[in-house]
Amino acid sequence: MMISTKGRYALRVMIDLAENYGKGYVPMKEVAERQNISLKYLERILPVLTKNNMIEGLQGKGGGYRLTSEPAGYRVGDILRLTEGDLAPVACLSCDADACARVESCKTLPMWTEFYRLTNAYFDGITLADLME
């Protein structure tokens, strides 16, 4: 499994907003400069986070983005699943996979299933508050 630039940048944006939690809306231009991410790339990530109520935006003077909850309420796993999709290590475990004809005889399925469980548990055990420390 490889986390894409989109997932890594989404985490950096969310950590930046977490570090500014309670200070009002943060202009994305400032986040882009601090995180060394192009504003154009951020414009591809922000709608996903906004649509899923992770952040909220305000247009105009004094506008920008902010978290909708406190940093401890955001799990890394949730952010990665939004930006990366399912974190399944093999196609047969992904959410929208067709039933595998070999499921009954597959010798590796238990290994992949446990790896998938461990991956999700690991990322779900880390919050933005943890990453800020």
mmCIF file of all heavy atoms in Angstrom, residues 8-35:
data_model
loop_
_atom_site.group_PDB
_atom_site.id
_atom_site.type_symbol
_atom_site.label_atom_id
_atom_site.label_comp_id
_atom_site.label_asym_id
_atom_site.label_seq_id
_atom_site.Cartn_x
_atom_site.Cartn_y
_atom_site.Cartn_z
ATOM 1 N N ARG A 8 -1.209 12.458 1.709
ATOM 2 C CA ARG A 8 -0.183 13.096 2.547
ATOM 3 C C ARG A 8 -0.442 14.590 2.689
ATOM 4 O O ARG A 8 -0.332 15.148 3.779
ATOM 5 C CB ARG A 8 1.206 12.834 1.966
ATOM 6 C CG ARG A 8 1.613 11.375 2.024
ATOM 7 C CD ARG A 8 3.085 11.133 1.695
ATOM 8 N NE ARG A 8 3.677 12.005 0.725
ATOM 9 C CZ ARG A 8 3.716 11.792 -0.597
ATOM 10 N NH1 ARG A 8 3.165 10.702 -1.094
ATOM 11 N NH2 ARG A 8 4.298 12.647 -1.405
ATOM 12 N N TYR A 9 -0.796 15.233 1.592
ATOM 13 C CA TYR A 9 -1.065 16.673 1.645
ATOM 14 C C TYR A 9 -2.325 16.975 2.452
ATOM 15 O O TYR A 9 -2.378 17.968 3.182
ATOM 16 C CB TYR A 9 -1.199 17.251 0.241
ATOM 17 C CG TYR A 9 0.103 17.433 -0.500
ATOM 18 C CD1 TYR A 9 1.314 16.966 0.012
ATOM 19 C CD2 TYR A 9 0.136 18.074 -1.732
ATOM 20 C CE1 TYR A 9 2.504 17.136 -0.686
ATOM 21 C CE2 TYR A 9 1.324 18.249 -2.430
ATOM 22 C CZ TYR A 9 2.496 17.773 -1.902
ATOM 23 O OH TYR A 9 3.670 17.957 -2.594
ATOM 24 N N ALA A 10 -3.332 16.121 2.336
ATOM 25 C CA ALA A 10 -4.552 16.321 3.124
ATOM 26 C C ALA A 10 -4.223 16.277 4.611
ATOM 27 O O ALA A 10 -4.721 17.101 5.389
ATOM 28 C CB ALA A 10 -5.593 15.268 2.772
ATOM 29 N N LEU A 11 -3.367 15.359 5.011
ATOM 30 C CA LEU A 11 -2.958 15.289 6.418
ATOM 31 C C LEU A 11 -2.203 16.547 6.827
ATOM 32 O O LEU A 11 -2.430 17.090 7.914
ATOM 33 C CB LEU A 11 -2.095 14.056 6.669
ATOM 34 C CG LEU A 11 -2.844 12.733 6.741
ATOM 35 C CD1 LEU A 11 -1.859 11.571 6.820
ATOM 36 C CD2 LEU A 11 -3.791 12.710 7.924
ATOM 37 N N ARG A 12 -1.327 17.040 5.971
ATOM 38 C CA ARG A 12 -0.572 18.260 6.297
ATOM 39 C C ARG A 12 -1.503 19.466 6.448
ATOM 40 O O ARG A 12 -1.343 20.273 7.370
ATOM 41 C CB ARG A 12 0.497 18.518 5.235
ATOM 42 C CG ARG A 12 1.663 17.552 5.378
ATOM 43 C CD ARG A 12 2.640 17.559 4.249
ATOM 44 N NE ARG A 12 3.103 18.856 3.789
ATOM 45 C CZ ARG A 12 3.849 18.999 2.696
ATOM 46 N NH1 ARG A 12 4.207 17.949 1.984
ATOM 47 N NH2 ARG A 12 4.240 20.200 2.320
ATOM 48 N N VAL A 13 -2.493 19.563 5.565
ATOM 49 C CA VAL A 13 -3.472 20.656 5.648
ATOM 50 C C VAL A 13 -4.270 20.541 6.943
ATOM 51 O O VAL A 13 -4.456 21.535 7.663
ATOM 52 C CB VAL A 13 -4.416 20.643 4.428
ATOM 53 C CG1 VAL A 13 -5.604 21.568 4.644
ATOM 54 C CG2 VAL A 13 -3.666 21.028 3.170
ATOM 55 N N MET A 14 -4.720 19.344 7.252
ATOM 56 C CA MET A 14 -5.522 19.144 8.458
ATOM 57 C C MET A 14 -4.712 19.427 9.729
ATOM 58 O O MET A 14 -5.234 20.010 10.681
ATOM 59 C CB MET A 14 -6.105 17.734 8.476
ATOM 60 C CG MET A 14 -7.118 17.469 7.374
ATOM 61 S SD MET A 14 -8.623 18.466 7.523
ATOM 62 C CE MET A 14 -9.417 17.621 8.888
ATOM 63 N N ILE A 15 -3.452 19.051 9.748
ATOM 64 C CA ILE A 15 -2.599 19.349 10.905
ATOM 65 C C ILE A 15 -2.410 20.857 11.030
ATOM 66 O O ILE A 15 -2.483 21.411 12.127
ATOM 67 C CB ILE A 15 -1.242 18.623 10.798
ATOM 68 C CG1 ILE A 15 -1.438 17.118 10.911
ATOM 69 C CG2 ILE A 15 -0.277 19.123 11.875
ATOM 70 C CD1 ILE A 15 -0.210 16.302 10.487
ATOM 71 N N ASP A 16 -2.198 21.532 9.913
ATOM 72 C CA ASP A 16 -2.039 22.989 9.926
ATOM 73 C C ASP A 16 -3.295 23.648 10.489
ATOM 74 O O ASP A 16 -3.216 24.542 11.343
ATOM 75 C CB ASP A 16 -1.742 23.499 8.518
ATOM 76 C CG ASP A 16 -1.213 24.924 8.500
ATOM 77 O OD1 ASP A 16 -1.976 25.850 8.855
ATOM 78 O OD2 ASP A 16 -0.035 25.116 8.139
ATOM 79 N N LEU A 17 -4.460 23.207 10.025
ATOM 80 C CA LEU A 17 -5.717 23.768 10.536
ATOM 81 C C LEU A 17 -5.903 23.424 12.014
ATOM 82 O O LEU A 17 -6.423 24.240 12.779
ATOM 83 C CB LEU A 17 -6.906 23.271 9.710
ATOM 84 C CG LEU A 17 -6.968 23.764 8.264
ATOM 85 C CD1 LEU A 17 -8.138 23.130 7.528
ATOM 86 C CD2 LEU A 17 -7.049 25.284 8.205
ATOM 87 N N ALA A 18 -5.458 22.234 12.410
ATOM 88 C CA ALA A 18 -5.544 21.844 13.817
ATOM 89 C C ALA A 18 -4.673 22.744 14.685
ATOM 90 O O ALA A 18 -5.063 23.136 15.792
ATOM 91 C CB ALA A 18 -5.136 20.383 13.990
ATOM 92 N N GLU A 19 -3.494 23.084 14.184
ATOM 93 C CA GLU A 19 -2.589 23.965 14.936
ATOM 94 C C GLU A 19 -3.148 25.380 15.059
ATOM 95 O O GLU A 19 -2.740 26.132 15.937
ATOM 96 C CB GLU A 19 -1.207 23.986 14.279
ATOM 97 C CG GLU A 19 -0.491 22.666 14.426
ATOM 98 C CD GLU A 19 0.800 22.562 13.631
ATOM 99 O OE1 GLU A 19 0.968 23.309 12.647
ATOM 100 O OE2 GLU A 19 1.626 21.719 13.999
ATOM 101 N N ASN A 20 -4.093 25.719 14.191
ATOM 102 C CA ASN A 20 -4.731 27.032 14.237
ATOM 103 C C ASN A 20 -6.171 26.951 14.733
ATOM 104 O O ASN A 20 -6.944 27.887 14.563
ATOM 105 C CB ASN A 20 -4.686 27.671 12.850
ATOM 106 C CG ASN A 20 -3.288 28.097 12.477
ATOM 107 O OD1 ASN A 20 -2.798 29.106 12.962
ATOM 108 N ND2 ASN A 20 -2.618 27.305 11.652
ATOM 109 N N TYR A 21 -6.525 25.818 15.330
ATOM 110 C CA TYR A 21 -7.881 25.607 15.811
ATOM 111 C C TYR A 21 -8.240 26.668 16.860
ATOM 112 O O TYR A 21 -7.452 26.979 17.746
ATOM 113 C CB TYR A 21 -8.018 24.208 16.419
ATOM 114 C CG TYR A 21 -9.411 23.894 16.897
ATOM 115 C CD1 TYR A 21 -10.429 23.662 15.986
ATOM 116 C CD2 TYR A 21 -9.709 23.851 18.250
ATOM 117 C CE1 TYR A 21 -11.715 23.379 16.413
ATOM 118 C CE2 TYR A 21 -10.993 23.556 18.683
ATOM 119 C CZ TYR A 21 -11.988 23.330 17.754
ATOM 120 O OH TYR A 21 -13.259 23.055 18.179
ATOM 121 N N GLY A 22 -9.420 27.236 16.711
ATOM 122 C CA GLY A 22 -9.891 28.243 17.657
ATOM 123 C C GLY A 22 -9.453 29.655 17.315
ATOM 124 O O GLY A 22 -9.792 30.604 18.020
ATOM 125 N N LYS A 23 -8.718 29.825 16.233
ATOM 126 C CA LYS A 23 -8.223 31.146 15.828
ATOM 127 C C LYS A 23 -8.992 31.707 14.635
ATOM 128 O O LYS A 23 -8.560 32.670 14.023
ATOM 129 C CB LYS A 23 -6.730 31.073 15.482
ATOM 130 C CG LYS A 23 -5.859 30.626 16.629
ATOM 131 C CD LYS A 23 -4.413 30.501 16.188
ATOM 132 C CE LYS A 23 -3.551 29.924 17.303
ATOM 133 N NZ LYS A 23 -2.175 29.649 16.854
ATOM 134 N N GLY A 24 -10.106 31.092 14.304
ATOM 135 C CA GLY A 24 -10.902 31.567 13.177
ATOM 136 C C GLY A 24 -10.536 30.861 11.887
ATOM 137 O O GLY A 24 -9.875 29.819 11.891
ATOM 138 N N TYR A 25 -10.976 31.451 10.790
ATOM 139 C CA TYR A 25 -10.737 30.873 9.479
ATOM 140 C C TYR A 25 -9.301 31.157 9.039
ATOM 141 O O TYR A 25 -8.800 32.259 9.243
ATOM 142 C CB TYR A 25 -11.720 31.441 8.455
ATOM 143 C CG TYR A 25 -13.129 30.948 8.678
ATOM 144 C CD1 TYR A 25 -14.012 31.672 9.483
ATOM 145 C CD2 TYR A 25 -13.558 29.769 8.111
ATOM 146 C CE1 TYR A 25 -15.308 31.210 9.696
ATOM 147 C CE2 TYR A 25 -14.850 29.298 8.317
ATOM 148 C CZ TYR A 25 -15.711 30.028 9.107
ATOM 149 O OH TYR A 25 -16.980 29.560 9.319
ATOM 150 N N VAL A 26 -8.688 30.160 8.446
ATOM 151 C CA VAL A 26 -7.301 30.262 8.002
ATOM 152 C C VAL A 26 -7.280 30.323 6.478
ATOM 153 O O VAL A 26 -7.774 29.400 5.823
ATOM 154 C CB VAL A 26 -6.479 29.038 8.478
ATOM 155 C CG1 VAL A 26 -5.036 29.151 8.033
ATOM 156 C CG2 VAL A 26 -6.582 28.873 9.989
ATOM 157 N N PRO A 27 -6.723 31.405 5.914
ATOM 158 C CA PRO A 27 -6.647 31.484 4.448
ATOM 159 C C PRO A 27 -5.789 30.357 3.874
ATOM 160 O O PRO A 27 -4.714 30.063 4.389
ATOM 161 C CB PRO A 27 -5.981 32.847 4.199
ATOM 162 C CG PRO A 27 -6.225 33.626 5.449
ATOM 163 C CD PRO A 27 -6.224 32.616 6.558
ATOM 164 N N MET A 28 -6.274 29.735 2.814
ATOM 165 C CA MET A 28 -5.538 28.629 2.213
ATOM 166 C C MET A 28 -4.214 29.080 1.624
ATOM 167 O O MET A 28 -3.276 28.299 1.538
ATOM 168 C CB MET A 28 -6.373 27.945 1.127
ATOM 169 C CG MET A 28 -7.239 26.829 1.654
ATOM 170 S SD MET A 28 -6.343 25.556 2.562
ATOM 171 C CE MET A 28 -6.768 25.959 4.235
ATOM 172 N N LYS A 29 -4.117 30.332 1.247
ATOM 173 C CA LYS A 29 -2.836 30.852 0.739
ATOM 174 C C LYS A 29 -1.758 30.718 1.814
ATOM 175 O O LYS A 29 -0.625 30.327 1.534
ATOM 176 C CB LYS A 29 -2.989 32.306 0.303
ATOM 177 C CG LYS A 29 -1.745 32.885 -0.303
ATOM 178 C CD LYS A 29 -1.950 34.307 -0.772
ATOM 179 C CE LYS A 29 -0.663 34.831 -1.367
ATOM 180 N NZ LYS A 29 -0.754 36.221 -1.766
ATOM 181 N N GLU A 30 -2.126 30.986 3.066
ATOM 182 C CA GLU A 30 -1.178 30.855 4.174
ATOM 183 C C GLU A 30 -0.799 29.395 4.419
ATOM 184 O O GLU A 30 0.365 29.079 4.641
ATOM 185 C CB GLU A 30 -1.760 31.466 5.452
ATOM 186 C CG GLU A 30 -1.924 32.956 5.406
ATOM 187 C CD GLU A 30 -2.573 33.519 6.667
ATOM 188 O OE1 GLU A 30 -2.676 32.786 7.679
ATOM 189 O OE2 GLU A 30 -2.982 34.688 6.624
ATOM 190 N N VAL A 31 -1.793 28.529 4.370
ATOM 191 C CA VAL A 31 -1.532 27.095 4.561
ATOM 192 C C VAL A 31 -0.617 26.605 3.445
ATOM 193 O O VAL A 31 0.350 25.882 3.695
ATOM 194 C CB VAL A 31 -2.839 26.278 4.603
ATOM 195 C CG1 VAL A 31 -2.556 24.785 4.653
ATOM 196 C CG2 VAL A 31 -3.698 26.707 5.786
ATOM 197 N N ALA A 32 -0.922 26.992 2.210
ATOM 198 C CA ALA A 32 -0.113 26.575 1.065
ATOM 199 C C ALA A 32 1.338 27.013 1.235
ATOM 200 O O ALA A 32 2.263 26.229 0.973
ATOM 201 C CB ALA A 32 -0.697 27.154 -0.223
ATOM 202 N N GLU A 33 1.550 28.228 1.706
ATOM 203 C CA GLU A 33 2.916 28.726 1.913
ATOM 204 C C GLU A 33 3.615 27.969 3.036
ATOM 205 O O GLU A 33 4.764 27.544 2.878
ATOM 206 C CB GLU A 33 2.885 30.225 2.217
ATOM 207 C CG GLU A 33 2.534 31.078 1.017
ATOM 208 C CD GLU A 33 2.320 32.543 1.370
ATOM 209 O OE1 GLU A 33 2.565 32.945 2.534
ATOM 210 O OE2 GLU A 33 1.890 33.292 0.459
ATOM 211 N N ARG A 34 2.932 27.795 4.158
ATOM 212 C CA ARG A 34 3.547 27.092 5.298
ATOM 213 C C ARG A 34 3.871 25.644 4.969
ATOM 214 O O ARG A 34 4.884 25.106 5.405
ATOM 215 C CB ARG A 34 2.622 27.132 6.521
ATOM 216 C CG ARG A 34 2.657 28.414 7.294
ATOM 217 C CD ARG A 34 1.965 28.255 8.640
ATOM 218 N NE ARG A 34 0.554 27.943 8.548
ATOM 219 C CZ ARG A 34 -0.436 28.832 8.519
ATOM 220 N NH1 ARG A 34 -0.164 30.124 8.563
ATOM 221 N NH2 ARG A 34 -1.699 28.444 8.455
ATOM 222 N N GLN A 35 2.992 25.010 4.211
ATOM 223 C CA GLN A 35 3.146 23.584 3.920
ATOM 224 C C GLN A 35 3.874 23.309 2.597
ATOM 225 O O GLN A 35 4.084 22.156 2.243
ATOM 226 C CB GLN A 35 1.778 22.900 3.918
ATOM 227 C CG GLN A 35 1.065 22.954 5.248
ATOM 228 C CD GLN A 35 1.882 22.305 6.346
ATOM 229 O OE1 GLN A 35 2.526 21.288 6.150
ATOM 230 N NE2 GLN A 35 1.861 22.918 7.521
#
